[in-house]
Every structure is written in structure tokens, then in C-alpha cells.
Amino acid sequence: MADSPQAGQSSDRRGFFRGLVRGLALLAGGATLGLLATRAQAARTVWQIDPYKCTMCGRCAVECVLSPSAVKCVHSHGMCGYCELCTGFFEPDAPNLHEGAENQLCPTGAIERTLIEQPYFEYRIKEDECIGCAKCVAGCAAFGNGSMYLQIRHDRCVDCNDCAIARACPTQAIRRVPADQPYLLKQVDEP
Amino acid sequence: MRLGAGRLILWAVGPALWLGLAVPAWGTQRFPPPQFETDHTLPVTHTPPPDAPWRDVLDVAVLAAALGLAAWLVLARRSRRGVLALAVFSLVYFGFWRGGCVCPIGAIQNVTAALAGGGHALPLVVAAFFLLPLLATILFGRIFCAGVCPLGAIQDVVVIRPLRVPMWLEQSLGMLAYLYLGAAVLFAATGSAWVICEYDPFVGLFRMSGTMFMLGLGAVFLLGGMFLARPYCRWLCPYGVLMSWIAPGAVWQPRIDPVGCIQCQLCRDGCPINAIDAPDAPAAAARTTPPAGARLHQGAGALPGAGAGGFPGAGVGVGRRDRRRMAGLLLIAPLLVAAGVLLGERLAPTLARMNERVQLTDRLLAEDMGWVEGHTDATAAFRSRGESRTELAAEAERIESAFAWGSPLLGAFIGLVLAAKLIQHARRRRRDEFAIHQPRCVACARCFALCPHHPGNEAMLIELTREKTRL
Ligand code: SF4
Ligand code: SF4
Ligand code: SF4
Ligand code: SF4
Ligand code: SF4
């Protein structure tokens, strides 16, 4: 180490060192690629809520990086009983059974109730107003058909690499799903 | 059809049930969907699709183009202005427009999870984001950091008055990045957490939305970053660590290009991140054949701070002392690794407890044994769903054993890095000129035009040369 190399020698040595580092990097990169090729599928994924795992804890409304949340209530109308007394719509101790805000479970009045024909009412979610709080979902699941449930809406979701709600969800109800089937919708014939 | 009596009863007892509702229910088909007499059609559930695949292709194309442009601007044009303009573009495109996800830094975790198995999908776009900047680093040095990384860009544009951090502090803080990288890999491999994403200080700013914690962290980094340039890049970024390993091997590297450095130190003072190495102290310099302009060279010896490893006295004995120091360090290295392993072993159970499944197992046990009151959302849901306890226990055990060997490995890694840093520090490098430290340099191009040898600086070169000769 104490000798003083000529300029040429030192640049030779530097060149060798550079080549060595480059070679090692390429080797490591190649090995990683090889391993990845055998281990990983290349499918595109997005995040989605499994409605059968969600416990309607309310974290979806507050944990999303967006505010209001990218999670909204969706309604599978085919499963709905069109109940006059919808437990997803009315407060359990609602003073009156009409559309007044004081009777409604939804904190933002995001559910629209329309009479189709006696005694059937249709409940539509106005997505711009829904904040994904899951209150209606809990009501519908507890005493109704469970036709209201939460889904991550992909027109809003920014597709975080690590979904902030998935991190906070107590039941790991949020998982990556293939991007070509981006929703986990409830079906009439499912449990 | 009339309103069923059952429905009314249910409604009446509802409130009572409601209060006692401890377990979640997912709903069953309690009421048959109606047969409408009118021809009412059911609304379809609207399912807006995620970003079309071409967006991914576009993102990768923009990334590749930006890397190419960055290489050209840094290495061929040597233009700070160009690099800055590209950085602003990348900040807007990858940061504000695309929301900061996915980025190569976070992609470390996707790649780790995919390598760890467990069927984790690695979308091609993520793989490309992880690999392209590394490939670019093999060719051109850390040009990704210069003008493409949105995190780097947002920090770079706020630098107003960078303070000099002493080298020992710079290098000690730099160890944090290794720790961060190691922790990110360990937690991603065990499926416990994605810490890089969870603590990304800037993604909240890119989206102008996020938790108070995220936004606050971002504000702290930006405010601090006015005076301590690029704090995340220098002391935390795990991807920067990977690039710092590769950059010294780059085929073309950013250089200051001093054909006969006159030791003016302008480049070193101009680098906001301490990425320019000073030449050796005059004692060492005196031993080498003086290059052209030797007088300047010796005159500069008294410059403050030149050669952090300056040696008192000259020539004789230096080599032997060096060798003795090196031998000592080589002996210490295995000890550091061993200490890391021991510490890792000690910490393994604590780290494992950060995993949700392990937490759930522990909590269920604690509830069963009556050590804690009540239940959490997670345990309540677990019990109500009647999932298998043995399966959960097996899963938790798998995770714990993964930590049991992963955590000591992380310790060994940190020990090794520490040893390598010490050895590197002790190695005498014979350098007569100020030179860019490739692993640390983010190729921002600030220093290029500062050199008196830079085209256009002839007047400055003459002036400085005169001044120095007079000394
Ligand atoms: S955080 Fe999980 S359990 Fe809570 S509402 Fe959202 S999906 Fe449901
Ligand atoms: S991925 Fe991000 S934006 Fe989408 S739901 Fe999760 S936290 Fe919200
Ligand atoms: S109750 Fe909550 S989840 Fe249901 S519609 Fe209203 S805001 Fe949306
Ligand atoms: S070191 Fe800075 S610029 Fe480079 S990848 Fe990390 S955050 Fe981005
Ligand atoms: S190009 Fe590298 S050495 Fe020069 S100022 Fe930028 S970071 Fe520092």
C-alpha cells in the first residue's frame, strides 16, 4: 500500500475495480431476474375489499390516503329485498319512517329511497356523497339481505403500493385482486 | 303483496338486538327479492375500471425516456439547468400526476415479497420500475436520482442554503439507510409490513392528501431539506443504497473533469450533499510525483478541511501504521458481525410481534387466559367467523421462525456494512485532485460548472491560478 503507483497503473487498477463492481452487479441482477422469473406471476393487481370478510368497522372511511375515501358503499340490487323498512337506511330508533335526515342512518344522506310500487322501495347510493363509513352496510347485514357492502372504487383509488386501509383493517379483508377482475361483488346465489 | 309480519317484528326488536350486536354478520337472504308487477328493471351495480394497462406502458416509457434524457443532460450536456428542468418534469409527472406510486424505492418490497414466495404477484410495471433505474446506474451512475426520482426532485428544488455536515456525521447517518433497507426487506419478506410505503414522507404531499402524520413528516423533511440538502436521499433511501453499490462500477460516470485540478475547492463547497472527496493531505501528496502545477498543489495544503484523514508528520512510518490499523479492523469485523447476529436474535421476538397474525394469536391467547379485558375488532371477527385456531397458530409460528433467522441475518448485514465502512475509511487512497465520490453523488450537476476548468470559466481559472501562485 505504501508504494506510489504510476498514474497508468492506478487508472488500470481503477478500471479493474469498476469492471469488478459492474460484473458483480450484473451477476446479482441476473440472479434476481432468474429467481423472479421462476417465482412470480406478472399479473397486474389492484386492491379490493372482500365483502365476506369485512366487519364494517368504519376504518375504511378514515384510513384511506384520500379524503373522502376511495371506498364507497355499493348496492347489489338483485339481492335487495326492497324492504319498506330498510335497516340499512333507517336509524334503529328512527322517530319517523320517512326520508327525514333525523331518521337516516347514513351520516351524509347518501342513500336515495324511491317507491317503486307498494310496498317496495329502491335504495340507491349517491356515490359522490358516500364516505364509506359502513353504517348502512352494518345495518343491512344485521337485519336485511346484506345487499349493501363496501368496495374500493377504482375511479377514485390511486392504487397505493401498500393500501393504507389494508394495513389498518382488523380482518385483512382487503387484498390484491387481478386488475381485470377488480371487484368482489356479492352475488344473489352466494351465502 | 303486503308488508310481512315477520318484517315488522324484526323491526320492533331490532334496536334491542342492535345494542347487543357484538359479532358481525354478513347478511343472509332474509327477504326474497320482490316480483315487481310494473316492469321495473333493477339498476346494475356500476363498476368503474382501474387504470387501463396502457397507462402502465406509458409510465414505463416515460421512465425510460427520462432516464435516457437524464444521462444525456448529466454526462453529455453537463447542464445543471437541463437536469433541474427534467427533475421538475418528473416531479410533476411521477409525483403529482401519477400520485407517487409505484416508485422504485417501494418496489424493493414488491420484489422481496415475490422472491420470498407465497404467490405474491409482481406486475411487469413494478418489475420495470425496480430494474430500469438500476440498469441505468450500471451505465451512467445515479442519474435516476438527478432528474427522474420524484422524491429526489421534490427535495432538490427546495434546497436553498445547504449546510455542510461533518464527514463523520454524514457517514454515521448514512448507516440509517442500510438499517432501513434491511428492515424493509425483512418486513416485506415475512409479509408483516411495507415500511417504505408506510413512512414515505412525500407521497402525502404528491397526493395533497393523507394522514396528519404523513403530511407532517413531509413538511419536516422539506423544511429541513432547505438547509440539509436531500435528507431522505442521503440518510434514509434504501434504493439509494442499492445504487451506491452499483455506481462505482458505472461505465460512464459523472465527473468534474479537472485536467490539472488547482485545488480551489469550489466544487466541494458547491456540492450540497458532501459527495466530493478531497485530495490527500500534503504529507501524502509530497510522496507522489508532483503533477503539473505542483506549486499550486502544495500551496493548497493549508486549506481547511482538506484531507479528513490528514496525517501528522510525513513519509516514513505512515504505511506501517496504516497496516496495523487495517489489521485491527479486519480482526474487529467478525466481532461486529457476531454482535449483529446476537442483537438480531435478541430482537427477533419483538420484531415478530409487529406482524398482525402473530399479534392476533397473542391477543387471542391473552383473552382466553383472562389476562386482558374485552376483545379487539380483530379477535371478535376471528371468533365469530369460527376460523381454525390451529391454522392460525401454525401461520404465526411460520412467521416467528422466519423472523428467528431473518432478524439475525439483518444484524449480520448491519455488522458487515459497519465493518466495511470502517475498513474503507481506514484505507489510504492516493488522490491528488478533488473527485466525485460515485456511491454518494446523485449526479445533480451542480458542481460541473463550478470548476475553473469548465468551458467558459477561463477568466476564473486565470484569476485563481494567479492568486494561488502568489501565495
Ligand atoms: S377496514 Fe376492513 S373491516 Fe373495516 S370497514 Fe374497511 S374493509 Fe371492513
Ligand atoms: S389503495 Fe390507497 S387510495 Fe385505494 S383504497 Fe387503499 S388507501 Fe385508498
Ligand atoms: S352509511 Fe356510510 S357507507 Fe352507507 S351510504 Fe352512507 S356514507 Fe356510504
Ligand atoms: S436517493 Fe433520493 S433521488 Fe435517489 S432514489 Fe432515493 S429518494 Fe430518489
Ligand atoms: S453532481 Fe454529485 S458531486 Fe456534483 S454537486 Fe451534484 S451530488 Fe455533488
Side-chain angles (χ1 to χ4, degrees):
Chain A
M1 299 283 287
D3 58 43
S4 39
Q6 300 303 307
Q9 249 174 331
S10 105
S11 83
D12 269 1
R13 201 182 284 181
R14 218 175 294 145
F16 170 74
F17 171 71
R18 256 160 92 168
L20 186 73
V21 171
R22 199 183 308 147
L24 284 176
L26 285 173
L27 210 66
T32 311
L33 266 182
L35 256 181
L36 282 178
T38 60
R39 294 209 147 191
Q41 320 107 307
R44 274 176 91 225
T45 57
V46 291
W47 295 100
Q48 194 49 273
I49 299 173
D50 181 343
Y52 295 105
K53 283 191 168 177
C54 168
T55 48
M56 309 105 194
C57 70
R59 287 181 181 78
C60 271
V62 291
E63 296 287 346
C64 180
V65 298
L66 302 179
S67 100
S69 170
V71 173
K72 306 272 178 194
C73 173
V74 300
H75 198 180
S76 282
H77 293 275
M79 292 175 69
C80 179
Y82 281 75
C83 320
E84 184 171 7
L85 302 171
C86 170
T87 49
F89 182 80
F90 288 112
E91 286 267 17
D93 46 1
N96 295 295
L97 296 182
H98 61 66
E99 285 80 0
E102 70 283 4
N103 308 320
Q104 289 188 31
L105 199 54
C106 178
T108 60
I111 305 177
E112 193 175 35
R113 180 179 192 249
T114 351
L115 173 67
I116 303 298
E117 61 188 52
Q118 270 305 340
Y120 298 126
F121 287 80
E122 189 162 274
Y123 299 89
R124 283 191 188 234
I125 314 293
K126 292 181 275 178
E127 272 194 21
D128 321 342
E129 287 165 42
C130 172
I131 54 166
C133 71
K135 290 208 166 76
C136 61
V137 179
C140 179
F143 306 109
N145 286 356
S147 55
M148 287 173 172
Y149 51 94
L150 296 183
Q151 289 283 281
I152 292 174
R153 306 306 273 165
H154 291 296
D155 51 343
R156 286 187 51 75
C157 174
V158 294
D159 205 6
C160 310
N161 197 23
D162 183 32
C163 174
I165 319 175
R167 210 148 60 203
C169 177
T171 54
Q172 278 110 47
I174 303 182
R175 60 167 196 258
R176 294 173 193 268
V177 298
D180 49 6
Q181 288 151 11
Y183 291 89
L184 294 170
L185 298 180
K186 278 189 168 182
Q187 306 291 335
V188 185
D189 49 355
E190 278 191 46
Chain B
M1 289 224 296
R2 296 279 79 192
L3 184 64
R7 246 178 266 201
L8 276 175
I9 294 169
L10 200 59
W11 189 244
V13 297
L17 275 174
W18 196 280
L19 293 172
L21 191 73
V23 291
W26 284 272
T28 40
Q29 202 71 30
R30 295 189 175 92
F31 314 109
Q35 309 282 309
F36 294 112
E37 277 146 33
T38 53
D39 56 350
H40 176 66
T41 43
L42 297 182
V44 266
T45 310
H46 160 66
T47 51
D51 279 351
W54 65 262
R55 289 284 288 268
D56 285 356
V57 177
L58 179 68
D59 285 349
V60 174
V62 173
L63 174 69
L67 285 170
L69 195 60
W72 180 68
L73 288 170
V74 171
L75 299 171
R77 293 298 312 277
R78 299 173 64 79
S79 156
R80 168 68 194 153
R81 260 218 231 132
V83 171
L84 186 63
L86 180 61
V88 170
F89 164 79
S90 301
L91 176 58
V92 171
Y93 182 86
F94 293 111
F96 292 108
W97 193 46
R98 300 297 285 142
C101 266
V102 58
C103 77
I105 311 170
I108 293 174
Q109 301 159 125
N110 303 58
V111 171
T112 307
L115 285 176
H120 189 92
L122 184 73
L124 281 177
V125 56
V126 180
F129 264 75
F130 177 73
L131 288 170
L132 280 180
L134 292 181
L135 199 65
T137 312
I138 294 190
L139 293 173
F140 312 116
R142 293 176 62 174
I143 49 143
F144 171 72
C145 300
V148 189
C149 176
L151 286 82
I154 199 171
Q155 294 173 87
D156 205 287
V157 296
V158 300
V159 174
I160 41 172
R161 183 165 278 279
L163 301 176
R164 246 195 127 60
V165 176
M167 217 41 181
W168 62 267
L169 187 59
E170 178 81 46
Q171 292 195 330
S172 314
L173 286 171
M175 285 301 298
L176 287 175
Y178 288 86
L179 203 61
Y180 201 21
L181 173 67
V185 166
L186 180 61
F187 282 116
T190 53
S192 304
W194 288 35
V195 285
I196 298 177
C197 296
E198 198 166 345
Y199 300 107
D200 181 338
F202 303 112
V203 75
L205 299 178
F206 292 153
R207 295 176 182 142
M208 311 279 193
S209 151
T211 57
M212 279 321 279
F213 172 75
M214 254 187 167
L215 292 172
L217 202 63
V220 167
F221 270 85
L222 284 192
L223 287 176
M226 293 176 175
F227 308 102
L228 295 168
R230 291 200 183 221
Y232 186 81
C233 296
R234 284 153 93 181
W235 304 316
L236 290 169
C237 180
Y239 198 71
V241 171
L242 298 185
M243 284 188 289
S244 78
W245 290 339
I246 300 176
V251 182
W252 296 278
Q253 297 176 328
R255 332 198 62 97
I256 328 172
D257 234 6
V259 191
C261 175
I262 59 164
Q263 317 279 326
C264 65
Q265 252 197 101
L266 288 172
C267 58
R268 197 189 77 146
D269 294 343
C271 175
I273 65 163
N274 254 337
I276 293 185
D277 286 327
D280 295 317
R287 287 183 292 127
T288 58
T289 346
R295 256 171 308 151
L296 295 178
H297 192 245
Q298 277 155 2
L303 287 174
F311 282 86
V316 207
V318 169
R320 196 177 309 144
R321 197 176 322 174
D322 270 2
R323 246 175 263 162
R324 215 175 298 141
R325 184 140 72 135
M326 185 65 89
L329 282 173
L330 285 175
L331 279 179
I332 291 179
L335 291 182
L336 281 173
V337 174
V341 170
L342 282 180
L343 196 66
E345 259 172 1
R346 271 297 185 74
L347 285 177
T350 318
L351 294 178
R353 234 165 281 134
M354 291 182 188
N355 181 289
E356 277 164 326
R357 304 306 279 175
V358 177
Q359 259 169 37
L360 180 60
T361 316
D362 288 357
R363 174 79 198 190
L364 284 167
L365 180 70
E367 283 175 17
D368 291 348
M369 306 301 281
W371 297 331
V372 288
E373 291 272 306
H375 51 71
T376 62
D377 284 348
T379 56
F382 182 87
R383 288 179 200 279
S384 76
R385 245 189 272 151
E387 281 174 24
S388 153
R389 284 292 283 271
T390 40
E391 255 168 52
L392 176 70
E395 197 186 339
E397 206 166 299
R398 256 200 316 279
I399 294 163
E400 276 168 339
S401 72
F403 272 99
W405 67 262
S407 173
L409 210 61
L410 168 62
F413 168 70
I414 297 298
L416 200 65
V417 169
L418 209 59
K421 292 261 151 181
L422 288 174
I423 289 171
Q424 208 177 29
H425 193 74
R427 246 184 58 207
R428 298 278 289 111
R429 266 152 293 159
R430 285 162 303 277
R431 199 184 302 106
D432 324 313
E433 336 184 289
F434 283 85
I436 289 184
H437 184 78
Q438 295 298 334
R440 213 176 295 131
C441 166
V442 294
C444 73
R446 277 190 181 83
C447 58
F448 296 172
L450 295 175
C451 182
H453 285 287
H454 185 80
N457 286 351
E458 288 81 8
M460 178 161 78
L461 178 61
I462 294 167
E463 174 67 18
L464 279 171
T465 314
R466 277 216 195 101
E467 222 170 84
K468 289 269 169 69
T469 357
R470 237 179 284 126
L471 274 176

